[in-house]
PDB file of all heavy atoms in Angstrom:
ATOM      1  N   GLU A   1     -55.634  36.958  32.576  1.00 91.00           N
ATOM      2  CA  GLU A   1     -55.007  38.225  32.941  1.00 91.00           C
ATOM      3  C   GLU A   1     -53.582  38.272  32.395  1.00 91.00           C
ATOM      4  O   GLU A   1     -52.913  37.245  32.291  1.00 91.00           O
ATOM      5  CB  GLU A   1     -55.002  38.388  34.460  1.00 91.00           C
ATOM      6  CG  GLU A   1     -56.392  38.441  35.075  1.00 91.00           C
ATOM      7  CD  GLU A   1     -56.350  38.511  36.591  1.00 91.00           C
ATOM      8  OE1 GLU A   1     -55.267  38.842  37.129  1.00 91.00           O
ATOM      9  OE2 GLU A   1     -57.380  38.230  37.225  1.00 91.00           O
ATOM     10  N   GLU A   2     -53.138  39.463  32.058  1.00 89.00           N
ATOM     11  CA  GLU A   2     -51.827  39.646  31.464  1.00 89.00           C
ATOM     12  C   GLU A   2     -50.731  38.994  32.314  1.00 89.00           C
ATOM     13  O   GLU A   2     -50.628  39.240  33.514  1.00 89.00           O
ATOM     14  CB  GLU A   2     -51.525  41.138  31.296  1.00 89.00           C
ATOM     15  CG  GLU A   2     -50.258  41.440  30.506  1.00 89.00           C
ATOM     16  CD  GLU A   2     -50.368  41.006  29.053  1.00 89.00           C
ATOM     17  OE1 GLU A   2     -51.476  41.077  28.480  1.00 89.00           O
ATOM     18  OE2 GLU A   2     -49.332  40.602  28.490  1.00 89.00           O
ATOM     19  N   GLY A   3     -49.938  38.146  31.690  1.00 89.00           N
ATOM     20  CA  GLY A   3     -48.807  37.524  32.371  1.00 89.00           C
ATOM     21  C   GLY A   3     -49.121  36.253  33.123  1.00 89.00           C
ATOM     22  O   GLY A   3     -48.203  35.575  33.599  1.00 89.00           O
ATOM     23  N   LYS A   4     -50.402  35.906  33.237  1.00 95.00           N
ATOM     24  CA  LYS A   4     -50.753  34.721  34.016  1.00 95.00           C
ATOM     25  C   LYS A   4     -50.907  33.452  33.173  1.00 95.00           C
ATOM     26  O   LYS A   4     -51.140  32.382  33.723  1.00 95.00           O
ATOM     27  CB  LYS A   4     -52.037  34.975  34.812  1.00 95.00           C
ATOM     28  CG  LYS A   4     -51.836  35.954  35.955  1.00 95.00           C
ATOM     29  CD  LYS A   4     -53.017  35.987  36.907  1.00 95.00           C
ATOM     30  CE  LYS A   4     -52.726  36.897  38.097  1.00 95.00           C
ATOM     31  NZ  LYS A   4     -53.856  36.903  39.060  1.00 95.00           N
ATOM     32  N   GLN A   5     -50.768  33.586  31.869  1.00 96.00           N
ATOM     33  CA  GLN A   5     -50.885  32.409  31.009  1.00 96.00           C
ATOM     34  C   GLN A   5     -49.789  31.380  31.340  1.00 96.00           C
ATOM     35  O   GLN A   5     -49.998  30.174  31.233  1.00 96.00           O
ATOM     36  CB  GLN A   5     -50.782  32.792  29.531  1.00 96.00           C
ATOM     37  CG  GLN A   5     -51.942  33.615  29.013  1.00 96.00           C
ATOM     38  CD  GLN A   5     -51.872  35.081  29.413  1.00 96.00           C
ATOM     39  OE1 GLN A   5     -50.798  35.678  29.377  1.00 96.00           O
ATOM     40  NE2 GLN A   5     -52.998  35.667  29.797  1.00 96.00           N
ATOM     41  N   SER A   6     -48.637  31.871  31.765  1.00 95.00           N
ATOM     42  CA  SER A   6     -47.509  30.977  32.035  1.00 95.00           C
ATOM     43  C   SER A   6     -47.723  30.106  33.267  1.00 95.00           C
ATOM     44  O   SER A   6     -46.955  29.172  33.501  1.00 95.00           O
ATOM     45  CB  SER A   6     -46.218  31.783  32.207  1.00 95.00           C
ATOM     46  OG  SER A   6     -46.333  32.699  33.287  1.00 95.00           O
ATOM     47  N   LEU A   7     -48.782  30.373  34.036  1.00 95.00           N
ATOM     48  CA  LEU A   7     -49.085  29.518  35.180  1.00 95.00           C
ATOM     49  C   LEU A   7     -49.332  28.080  34.739  1.00 95.00           C
ATOM     50  O   LEU A   7     -49.076  27.136  35.483  1.00 95.00           O
ATOM     51  CB  LEU A   7     -50.308  30.043  35.939  1.00 95.00           C
ATOM     52  CG  LEU A   7     -50.137  31.364  36.697  1.00 95.00           C
ATOM     53  CD1 LEU A   7     -51.467  31.807  37.297  1.00 95.00           C
ATOM     54  CD2 LEU A   7     -49.085  31.233  37.786  1.00 95.00           C
ATOM     55  N   LEU A   8     -49.833  27.918  33.515  1.00 97.00           N
ATOM     56  CA  LEU A   8     -50.130  26.576  33.008  1.00 97.00           C
ATOM     57  C   LEU A   8     -48.866  25.755  32.786  1.00 97.00           C
ATOM     58  O   LEU A   8     -48.927  24.529  32.729  1.00 97.00           O
ATOM     59  CB  LEU A   8     -50.914  26.656  31.699  1.00 97.00           C
ATOM     60  CG  LEU A   8     -52.320  27.238  31.779  1.00 97.00           C
ATOM     61  CD1 LEU A   8     -52.991  27.158  30.412  1.00 97.00           C
ATOM     62  CD2 LEU A   8     -53.156  26.519  32.821  1.00 97.00           C
ATOM     63  N   SER A   9     -47.741  26.425  32.667  1.00 96.00           N
ATOM     64  CA  SER A   9     -46.487  25.692  32.495  1.00 96.00           C
ATOM     65  C   SER A   9     -45.622  25.739  33.757  1.00 96.00           C
ATOM     66  O   SER A   9     -44.832  24.835  34.008  1.00 96.00           O
ATOM     67  CB  SER A   9     -45.691  26.263  31.312  1.00 96.00           C
ATOM     68  OG  SER A   9     -45.458  27.648  31.469  1.00 96.00           O
ATOM     69  N   GLN A  10     -45.811  26.762  34.579  1.00 96.00           N
ATOM     70  CA  GLN A  10     -44.957  26.930  35.754  1.00 96.00           C
ATOM     71  C   GLN A  10     -45.430  26.121  36.960  1.00 96.00           C
ATOM     72  O   GLN A  10     -44.613  25.709  37.791  1.00 96.00           O
ATOM     73  CB  GLN A  10     -44.883  28.413  36.131  1.00 96.00           C
ATOM     74  CG  GLN A  10     -44.149  29.259  35.100  1.00 96.00           C
ATOM     75  CD  GLN A  10     -44.205  30.741  35.413  1.00 96.00           C
ATOM     76  OE1 GLN A  10     -44.917  31.172  36.318  1.00 96.00           O
ATOM     77  NE2 GLN A  10     -43.448  31.530  34.667  1.00 96.00           N
ATOM     78  N   LEU A  11     -46.717  25.897  37.078  1.00 97.00           N
ATOM     79  CA  LEU A  11     -47.259  25.173  38.221  1.00 97.00           C
ATOM     80  C   LEU A  11     -47.667  23.766  37.797  1.00 97.00           C
ATOM     81  O   LEU A  11     -48.564  23.592  36.979  1.00 97.00           O
ATOM     82  CB  LEU A  11     -48.470  25.909  38.800  1.00 97.00           C
ATOM     83  CG  LEU A  11     -48.210  27.330  39.322  1.00 97.00           C
ATOM     84  CD1 LEU A  11     -49.492  27.934  39.870  1.00 97.00           C
ATOM     85  CD2 LEU A  11     -47.122  27.320  40.386  1.00 97.00           C
ATOM     86  N   PRO A  12     -47.024  22.730  38.326  1.00 98.00           N
ATOM     87  CA  PRO A  12     -47.321  21.354  37.919  1.00 98.00           C
ATOM     88  C   PRO A  12     -48.796  20.981  38.014  1.00 98.00           C
ATOM     89  O   PRO A  12     -49.318  20.293  37.129  1.00 98.00           O
ATOM     90  CB  PRO A  12     -46.469  20.525  38.884  1.00 98.00           C
ATOM     91  CG  PRO A  12     -45.300  21.395  39.185  1.00 98.00           C
ATOM     92  CD  PRO A  12     -45.888  22.786  39.266  1.00 98.00           C
ATOM     93  N   ALA A  13     -49.482  21.431  39.065  1.00 97.00           N
ATOM     94  CA  ALA A  13     -50.899  21.090  39.211  1.00 97.00           C
ATOM     95  C   ALA A  13     -51.726  21.667  38.071  1.00 97.00           C
ATOM     96  O   ALA A  13     -52.669  21.032  37.587  1.00 97.00           O
ATOM     97  CB  ALA A  13     -51.430  21.589  40.552  1.00 97.00           C
ATOM     98  N   TYR A  14     -51.375  22.873  37.620  1.00 97.00           N
ATOM     99  CA  TYR A  14     -52.081  23.485  36.497  1.00 97.00           C
ATOM    100  C   TYR A  14     -51.729  22.778  35.190  1.00 97.00           C
ATOM    101  O   TYR A  14     -52.603  22.557  34.338  1.00 97.00           O
ATOM    102  CB  TYR A  14     -51.720  24.970  36.378  1.00 97.00           C
ATOM    103  CG  TYR A  14     -52.402  25.881  37.375  1.00 97.00           C
ATOM    104  CD1 TYR A  14     -52.975  25.386  38.547  1.00 97.00           C
ATOM    105  CD2 TYR A  14     -52.452  27.252  37.154  1.00 97.00           C
ATOM    106  CE1 TYR A  14     -53.583  26.230  39.456  1.00 97.00           C
ATOM    107  CE2 TYR A  14     -53.067  28.105  38.059  1.00 97.00           C
ATOM    108  CZ  TYR A  14     -53.634  27.591  39.217  1.00 97.00           C
ATOM    109  OH  TYR A  14     -54.236  28.426  40.113  1.00 97.00           O
ATOM    110  N   ALA A  15     -50.444  22.459  35.014  1.00 98.00           N
ATOM    111  CA  ALA A  15     -50.006  21.785  33.788  1.00 98.00           C
ATOM    112  C   ALA A  15     -50.719  20.449  33.618  1.00 98.00           C
ATOM    113  O   ALA A  15     -51.096  20.066  32.509  1.00 98.00           O
ATOM    114  CB  ALA A  15     -48.491  21.573  33.819  1.00 98.00           C
ATOM    115  N   LEU A  16     -50.932  19.750  34.732  1.00 98.00           N
ATOM    116  CA  LEU A  16     -51.643  18.473  34.676  1.00 98.00           C
ATOM    117  C   LEU A  16     -53.142  18.697  34.508  1.00 98.00           C
ATOM    118  O   LEU A  16     -53.787  18.033  33.689  1.00 98.00           O
ATOM    119  CB  LEU A  16     -51.370  17.668  35.947  1.00 98.00           C
ATOM    120  CG  LEU A  16     -52.131  16.351  36.092  1.00 98.00           C
ATOM    121  CD1 LEU A  16     -51.888  15.433  34.900  1.00 98.00           C
ATOM    122  CD2 LEU A  16     -51.740  15.648  37.396  1.00 98.00           C
ATOM    123  N   ASP A  17     -53.701  19.618  35.261  1.00 97.00           N
ATOM    124  CA  ASP A  17     -55.149  19.823  35.216  1.00 97.00           C
ATOM    125  C   ASP A  17     -55.635  20.228  33.836  1.00 97.00           C
ATOM    126  O   ASP A  17     -56.666  19.740  33.364  1.00 97.00           O
ATOM    127  CB  ASP A  17     -55.575  20.879  36.242  1.00 97.00           C
ATOM    128  CG  ASP A  17     -57.084  20.991  36.341  1.00 97.00           C
ATOM    129  OD1 ASP A  17     -57.721  20.054  36.864  1.00 97.00           O
ATOM    130  OD2 ASP A  17     -57.639  22.007  35.869  1.00 97.00           O
ATOM    131  N   VAL A  18     -54.905  21.123  33.177  1.00 97.00           N
ATOM    132  CA  VAL A  18     -55.354  21.562  31.853  1.00 97.00           C
ATOM    133  C   VAL A  18     -55.310  20.398  30.864  1.00 97.00           C
ATOM    134  O   VAL A  18     -56.138  20.315  29.939  1.00 97.00           O
ATOM    135  CB  VAL A  18     -54.510  22.755  31.345  1.00 97.00           C
ATOM    136  CG1 VAL A  18     -53.080  22.339  31.008  1.00 97.00           C
ATOM    137  CG2 VAL A  18     -55.165  23.397  30.129  1.00 97.00           C
ATOM    138  N   SER A  19     -54.389  19.463  31.080  1.00 98.00           N
ATOM    139  CA  SER A  19     -54.303  18.290  30.208  1.00 98.00           C
ATOM    140  C   SER A  19     -55.443  17.316  30.493  1.00 98.00           C
ATOM    141  O   SER A  19     -55.999  16.713  29.573  1.00 98.00           O
ATOM    142  CB  SER A  19     -52.946  17.600  30.416  1.00 98.00           C
ATOM    143  OG  SER A  19     -51.895  18.518  30.199  1.00 98.00           O
ATOM    144  N   LEU A  20     -55.792  17.184  31.758  1.00 98.00           N
ATOM    145  CA  LEU A  20     -56.936  16.357  32.136  1.00 98.00           C
ATOM    146  C   LEU A  20     -58.232  16.950  31.591  1.00 98.00           C
ATOM    147  O   LEU A  20     -59.120  16.229  31.127  1.00 98.00           O
ATOM    148  CB  LEU A  20     -57.007  16.238  33.653  1.00 98.00           C
ATOM    149  CG  LEU A  20     -55.887  15.420  34.305  1.00 98.00           C
ATOM    150  CD1 LEU A  20     -55.862  15.662  35.816  1.00 98.00           C
ATOM    151  CD2 LEU A  20     -56.053  13.936  34.017  1.00 98.00           C
ATOM    152  N   TRP A  21     -58.325  18.266  31.669  1.00 97.00           N
ATOM    153  CA  TRP A  21     -59.499  18.963  31.127  1.00 97.00           C
ATOM    154  C   TRP A  21     -59.622  18.712  29.626  1.00 97.00           C
ATOM    155  O   TRP A  21     -60.710  18.412  29.121  1.00 97.00           O
ATOM    156  CB  TRP A  21     -59.378  20.465  31.395  1.00 97.00           C
ATOM    157  CG  TRP A  21     -60.422  21.305  30.725  1.00 97.00           C
ATOM    158  CD1 TRP A  21     -61.685  21.555  31.156  1.00 97.00           C
ATOM    159  CD2 TRP A  21     -60.276  22.004  29.474  1.00 97.00           C
ATOM    160  NE1 TRP A  21     -62.345  22.371  30.258  1.00 97.00           N
ATOM    161  CE2 TRP A  21     -61.508  22.655  29.225  1.00 97.00           C
ATOM    162  CE3 TRP A  21     -59.237  22.152  28.569  1.00 97.00           C
ATOM    163  CZ2 TRP A  21     -61.706  23.439  28.085  1.00 97.00           C
ATOM    164  CZ3 TRP A  21     -59.437  22.917  27.429  1.00 97.00           C
ATOM    165  CH2 TRP A  21     -60.668  23.553  27.202  1.00 97.00           C
ATOM    166  N   PHE A  22     -58.517  18.810  28.895  1.00 96.00           N
ATOM    167  CA  PHE A  22     -58.512  18.550  27.456  1.00 96.00           C
ATOM    168  C   PHE A  22     -58.964  17.124  27.180  1.00 96.00           C
ATOM    169  O   PHE A  22     -59.749  16.868  26.269  1.00 96.00           O
ATOM    170  CB  PHE A  22     -57.101  18.776  26.901  1.00 96.00           C
ATOM    171  CG  PHE A  22     -56.952  18.434  25.447  1.00 96.00           C
ATOM    172  CD1 PHE A  22     -57.155  19.401  24.469  1.00 96.00           C
ATOM    173  CD2 PHE A  22     -56.605  17.148  25.034  1.00 96.00           C
ATOM    174  CE1 PHE A  22     -57.027  19.087  23.116  1.00 96.00           C
ATOM    175  CE2 PHE A  22     -56.478  16.829  23.697  1.00 96.00           C
ATOM    176  CZ  PHE A  22     -56.688  17.799  22.738  1.00 96.00           C
ATOM    177  N   TRP A  23     -58.471  16.197  27.983  1.00 98.00           N
ATOM    178  CA  TRP A  23     -58.814  14.780  27.826  1.00 98.00           C
ATOM    179  C   TRP A  23     -60.324  14.573  27.983  1.00 98.00           C
ATOM    180  O   TRP A  23     -60.956  13.899  27.159  1.00 98.00           O
ATOM    181  CB  TRP A  23     -58.053  13.978  28.866  1.00 98.00           C
ATOM    182  CG  TRP A  23     -58.082  12.492  28.708  1.00 98.00           C
ATOM    183  CD1 TRP A  23     -58.982  11.623  29.262  1.00 98.00           C
ATOM    184  CD2 TRP A  23     -57.151  11.678  27.983  1.00 98.00           C
ATOM    185  NE1 TRP A  23     -58.670  10.329  28.929  1.00 98.00           N
ATOM    186  CE2 TRP A  23     -57.551  10.334  28.133  1.00 98.00           C
ATOM    187  CE3 TRP A  23     -56.018  11.955  27.225  1.00 98.00           C
ATOM    188  CZ2 TRP A  23     -56.861   9.268  27.556  1.00 98.00           C
ATOM    189  CZ3 TRP A  23     -55.329  10.905  26.636  1.00 98.00           C
ATOM    190  CH2 TRP A  23     -55.759   9.578  26.813  1.00 98.00           C
ATOM    191  N   LYS A  24     -60.887  15.163  29.020  1.00 97.00           N
ATOM    192  CA  LYS A  24     -62.313  15.009  29.278  1.00 97.00           C
ATOM    193  C   LYS A  24     -63.145  15.719  28.211  1.00 97.00           C
ATOM    194  O   LYS A  24     -64.142  15.170  27.722  1.00 97.00           O
ATOM    195  CB  LYS A  24     -62.660  15.559  30.660  1.00 97.00           C
ATOM    196  CG  LYS A  24     -64.124  15.391  31.029  1.00 97.00           C
ATOM    197  CD  LYS A  24     -64.397  15.905  32.434  1.00 97.00           C
ATOM    198  CE  LYS A  24     -65.867  15.731  32.799  1.00 97.00           C
ATOM    199  NZ  LYS A  24     -66.144  16.222  34.179  1.00 97.00           N
ATOM    200  N   LYS A  25     -62.737  16.929  27.847  1.00 96.00           N
ATOM    201  CA  LYS A  25     -63.473  17.725  26.861  1.00 96.00           C
ATOM    202  C   LYS A  25     -63.589  16.981  25.531  1.00 96.00           C
ATOM    203  O   LYS A  25     -64.604  17.081  24.841  1.00 96.00           O
ATOM    204  CB  LYS A  25     -62.756  19.069  26.649  1.00 96.00           C
ATOM    205  CG  LYS A  25     -63.379  19.981  25.603  1.00 96.00           C
ATOM    206  CD  LYS A  25     -62.609  21.279  25.485  1.00 96.00           C
ATOM    207  CE  LYS A  25     -63.093  22.129  24.335  1.00 96.00           C
ATOM    208  NZ  LYS A  25     -64.499  22.530  24.478  1.00 96.00           N
ATOM    209  N   ASN A  26     -62.565  16.217  25.208  1.00 96.00           N
ATOM    210  CA  ASN A  26     -62.550  15.494  23.935  1.00 96.00           C
ATOM    211  C   ASN A  26     -62.973  14.034  24.068  1.00 96.00           C
ATOM    212  O   ASN A  26     -62.815  13.251  23.126  1.00 96.00           O
ATOM    213  CB  ASN A  26     -61.157  15.598  23.309  1.00 96.00           C
ATOM    214  CG  ASN A  26     -60.860  16.985  22.797  1.00 96.00           C
ATOM    215  OD1 ASN A  26     -61.297  17.362  21.721  1.00 96.00           O
ATOM    216  ND2 ASN A  26     -60.138  17.767  23.595  1.00 96.00           N
ATOM    217  N   ASN A  27     -63.503  13.690  25.247  1.00 98.00           N
ATOM    218  CA  ASN A  27     -64.053  12.352  25.489  1.00 98.00           C
ATOM    219  C   ASN A  27     -63.061  11.248  25.129  1.00 98.00           C
ATOM    220  O   ASN A  27     -63.411  10.237  24.503  1.00 98.00           O
ATOM    221  CB  ASN A  27     -65.351  12.165  24.686  1.00 98.00           C
ATOM    222  CG  ASN A  27     -66.149  10.953  25.147  1.00 98.00           C
ATOM    223  OD1 ASN A  27     -66.069  10.561  26.318  1.00 98.00           O
ATOM    224  ND2 ASN A  27     -66.910  10.364  24.250  1.00 98.00           N
ATOM    225  N   LEU A  28     -61.809  11.436  25.554  1.00 98.00           N
ATOM    226  CA  LEU A  28     -60.777  10.480  25.170  1.00 98.00           C
ATOM    227  C   LEU A  28     -60.800   9.208  26.011  1.00 98.00           C
ATOM    228  O   LEU A  28     -60.199   8.203  25.613  1.00 98.00           O
ATOM    229  CB  LEU A  28     -59.403  11.150  25.224  1.00 98.00           C
ATOM    230  CG  LEU A  28     -59.226  12.276  24.197  1.00 98.00           C
ATOM    231  CD1 LEU A  28     -57.842  12.886  24.294  1.00 98.00           C
ATOM    232  CD2 LEU A  28     -59.476  11.769  22.777  1.00 98.00           C
ATOM    233  N   ASN A  29     -61.515   9.232  27.127  1.00 98.00           N
ATOM    234  CA  ASN A  29     -61.682   7.982  27.873  1.00 98.00           C
ATOM    235  C   ASN A  29     -62.369   6.923  27.012  1.00 98.00           C
ATOM    236  O   ASN A  29     -62.054   5.730  27.107  1.00 98.00           O
ATOM    237  CB  ASN A  29     -62.502   8.210  29.143  1.00 98.00           C
ATOM    238  CG  ASN A  29     -61.653   8.668  30.305  1.00 98.00           C
ATOM    239  OD1 ASN A  29     -60.449   8.434  30.343  1.00 98.00           O
ATOM    240  ND2 ASN A  29     -62.273   9.331  31.274  1.00 98.00           N
ATOM    241  N   SER A  30     -63.301   7.358  26.181  1.00 98.00           N
ATOM    242  CA  SER A  30     -64.032   6.403  25.337  1.00 98.00           C
ATOM    243  C   SER A  30     -63.100   5.740  24.325  1.00 98.00           C
ATOM    244  O   SER A  30     -63.278   4.570  23.970  1.00 98.00           O
ATOM    245  CB  SER A  30     -65.187   7.099  24.606  1.00 98.00           C
ATOM    246  OG  SER A  30     -64.694   8.060  23.677  1.00 98.00           O
ATOM    247  N   LYS A  31     -62.105   6.495  23.867  1.00 98.00           N
ATOM    248  CA  LYS A  31     -61.127   5.931  22.927  1.00 98.00           C
ATOM    249  C   LYS A  31     -60.143   5.017  23.662  1.00 98.00           C
ATOM    250  O   LYS A  31     -59.718   3.983  23.130  1.00 98.00           O
ATOM    251  CB  LYS A  31     -60.368   7.044  22.208  1.00 98.00           C
ATOM    252  CG  LYS A  31     -61.257   8.011  21.432  1.00 98.00           C
ATOM    253  CD  LYS A  31     -62.082   7.290  20.368  1.00 98.00           C
ATOM    254  CE  LYS A  31     -62.939   8.280  19.581  1.00 98.00           C
ATOM    255  NZ  LYS A  31     -63.809   7.587  18.604  1.00 98.00           N
ATOM    256  N   ALA A  32     -59.807   5.405  24.893  1.00 98.00           N
ATOM    257  CA  ALA A  32     -58.921   4.555  25.686  1.00 98.00           C
ATOM    258  C   ALA A  32     -59.588   3.223  26.004  1.00 98.00           C
ATOM    259  O   ALA A  32     -58.937   2.176  26.023  1.00 98.00           O
ATOM    260  CB  ALA A  32     -58.528   5.274  26.973  1.00 98.00           C
ATOM    261  N   ASP A  33     -60.886   3.271  26.255  1.00 98.00           N
ATOM    262  CA  ASP A  33     -61.625   2.052  26.611  1.00 98.00           C
ATOM    263  C   ASP A  33     -61.574   0.992  25.514  1.00 98.00           C
ATOM    264  O   ASP A  33     -61.680  -0.208  25.785  1.00 98.00           O
ATOM    265  CB  ASP A  33     -63.082   2.384  26.932  1.00 98.00           C
ATOM    266  CG  ASP A  33     -63.239   3.124  28.248  1.00 98.00           C
ATOM    267  OD1 ASP A  33     -62.313   3.082  29.074  1.00 98.00           O
ATOM    268  OD2 ASP A  33     -64.304   3.752  28.454  1.00 98.00           O
ATOM    269  N   ILE A  34     -61.420   1.441  24.265  1.00 98.00           N
ATOM    270  CA  ILE A  34     -61.328   0.482  23.159  1.00 98.00           C
ATOM    271  C   ILE A  34     -59.883   0.364  22.656  1.00 98.00           C
ATOM    272  O   ILE A  34     -59.632  -0.189  21.590  1.00 98.00           O
ATOM    273  CB  ILE A  34     -62.273   0.857  22.001  1.00 98.00           C
ATOM    274  CG1 ILE A  34     -61.980   2.250  21.453  1.00 98.00           C
ATOM    275  CG2 ILE A  34     -63.720   0.753  22.448  1.00 98.00           C
ATOM    276  CD1 ILE A  34     -62.783   2.609  20.207  1.00 98.00           C
ATOM    277  N   ASP A  35     -58.956   0.910  23.451  1.00 98.00           N
ATOM    278  CA  ASP A  35     -57.521   0.757  23.187  1.00 98.00           C
ATOM    279  C   ASP A  35     -57.122   1.340  21.837  1.00 98.00           C
ATOM    280  O   ASP A  35     -56.288   0.771  21.123  1.00 98.00           O
ATOM    281  CB  ASP A  35     -57.144  -0.728  23.261  1.00 98.00           C
ATOM    282  CG  ASP A  35     -55.684  -0.952  23.632  1.00 98.00           C
ATOM    283  OD1 ASP A  35     -55.022   0.007  24.065  1.00 98.00           O
ATOM    284  OD2 ASP A  35     -55.212  -2.097  23.488  1.00 98.00           O
ATOM    285  N   ASP A  36     -57.687   2.500  21.500  1.00 98.00           N
ATOM    286  CA  ASP A  36     -57.459   3.100  20.181  1.00 98.00           C
ATOM    287  C   ASP A  36     -56.440   4.238  20.284  1.00 98.00           C
ATOM    288  O   ASP A  36     -56.803   5.416  20.373  1.00 98.00           O
ATOM    289  CB  ASP A  36     -58.783   3.614  19.611  1.00 98.00           C
ATOM    290  CG  ASP A  36     -58.670   3.992  18.133  1.00 98.00           C
ATOM    291  OD1 ASP A  36     -57.543   4.112  17.626  1.00 98.00           O
ATOM    292  OD2 ASP A  36     -59.733   4.167  17.489  1.00 98.00           O
ATOM    293  N   ILE A  37     -55.174   3.883  20.267  1.00 98.00           N
ATOM    294  CA  ILE A  37     -54.131   4.895  20.403  1.00 98.00           C
ATOM    295  C   ILE A  37     -54.068   5.818  19.193  1.00 98.00           C
ATOM    296  O   ILE A  37     -53.720   6.995  19.321  1.00 98.00           O
ATOM    297  CB  ILE A  37     -52.753   4.242  20.659  1.00 98.00           C
ATOM    298  CG1 ILE A  37     -51.719   5.313  21.031  1.00 98.00           C
ATOM    299  CG2 ILE A  37     -52.310   3.412  19.464  1.00 98.00           C
ATOM    300  CD1 ILE A  37     -50.376   4.749  21.438  1.00 98.00           C
ATOM    301  N   ARG A  38     -54.429   5.338  18.029  1.00 98.00           N
ATOM    302  CA  ARG A  38     -54.401   6.184  16.827  1.00 98.00           C
ATOM    303  C   ARG A  38     -55.423   7.309  16.929  1.00 98.00           C
ATOM    304  O   ARG A  38     -55.130   8.464  16.608  1.00 98.00           O
ATOM    305  CB  ARG A  38     -54.638   5.348  15.567  1.00 98.00           C
ATOM    306  CG  ARG A  38     -53.463   4.453  15.188  1.00 98.00           C
ATOM    307  CD  ARG A  38     -53.730   3.709  13.886  1.00 98.00           C
ATOM    308  NE  ARG A  38     -53.921   4.622  12.759  1.00 98.00           N
ATOM    309  CZ  ARG A  38     -52.919   5.137  12.052  1.00 98.00           C
ATOM    310  NH1 ARG A  38     -51.671   4.837  12.346  1.00 98.00           N
ATOM    311  NH2 ARG A  38     -53.173   5.950  11.034  1.00 98.00           N
ATOM    312  N   ALA A  39     -56.632   6.986  17.371  1.00 98.00           N
ATOM    313  CA  ALA A  39     -57.673   8.008  17.491  1.00 98.00           C
ATOM    314  C   ALA A  39     -57.291   9.050  18.542  1.00 98.00           C
ATOM    315  O   ALA A  39     -57.507  10.252  18.352  1.00 98.00           O
ATOM    316  CB  ALA A  39     -59.000   7.360  17.845  1.00 98.00           C
ATOM    317  N   ILE A  40     -56.721   8.588  19.644  1.00 98.00           N
ATOM    318  CA  ILE A  40     -56.316   9.521  20.699  1.00 98.00           C
ATOM    319  C   ILE A  40     -55.190  10.415  20.200  1.00 98.00           C
ATOM    320  O   ILE A  40     -55.206  11.641  20.397  1.00 98.00           O
ATOM    321  CB  ILE A  40     -55.871   8.757  21.963  1.00 98.00           C
ATOM    322  CG1 ILE A  40     -57.042   7.958  22.540  1.00 98.00           C
ATOM    323  CG2 ILE A  40     -55.334   9.726  23.015  1.00 98.00           C
ATOM    324  CD1 ILE A  40     -56.657   7.046  23.693  1.00 98.00           C
TER     325      ILE A  40
END
C-alpha cells in the first residue's frame, strides 16, 4: 500500500524479518553450514 514500504526500515521487527526471509528464500543456511562466506 502507498507509503507503507518504509515500514521495512522503520520497524526493527520488520527490518529483521525481511532479512530472515531473504536468508531462507535463498537457502543460505546451507552455505553457512559449510562455512562459505564467499557464496553467502
Side-chain angles (χ1 to χ4, degrees):
E1 298 176 17
E2 188 66 34
K4 289 192 175 182
Q5 293 78 41
S6 60
L7 291 175
L8 294 184
S9 56
Q10 293 174 352
L11 299 180
Y14 283 19
L16 175 56
D17 187 70
V18 69
S19 304
L20 291 166
W21 172 83
F22 175 91
W23 191 269
K24 182 178 180 180
K25 178 179 173 61
N26 289 280
N27 194 28
L28 295 181
N29 274 337
S30 66
K31 302 301 181 184
D33 289 341
I34 58 174
D35 206 13
D36 192 346
I37 189 174
R38 288 183 61 84
I40 297 173

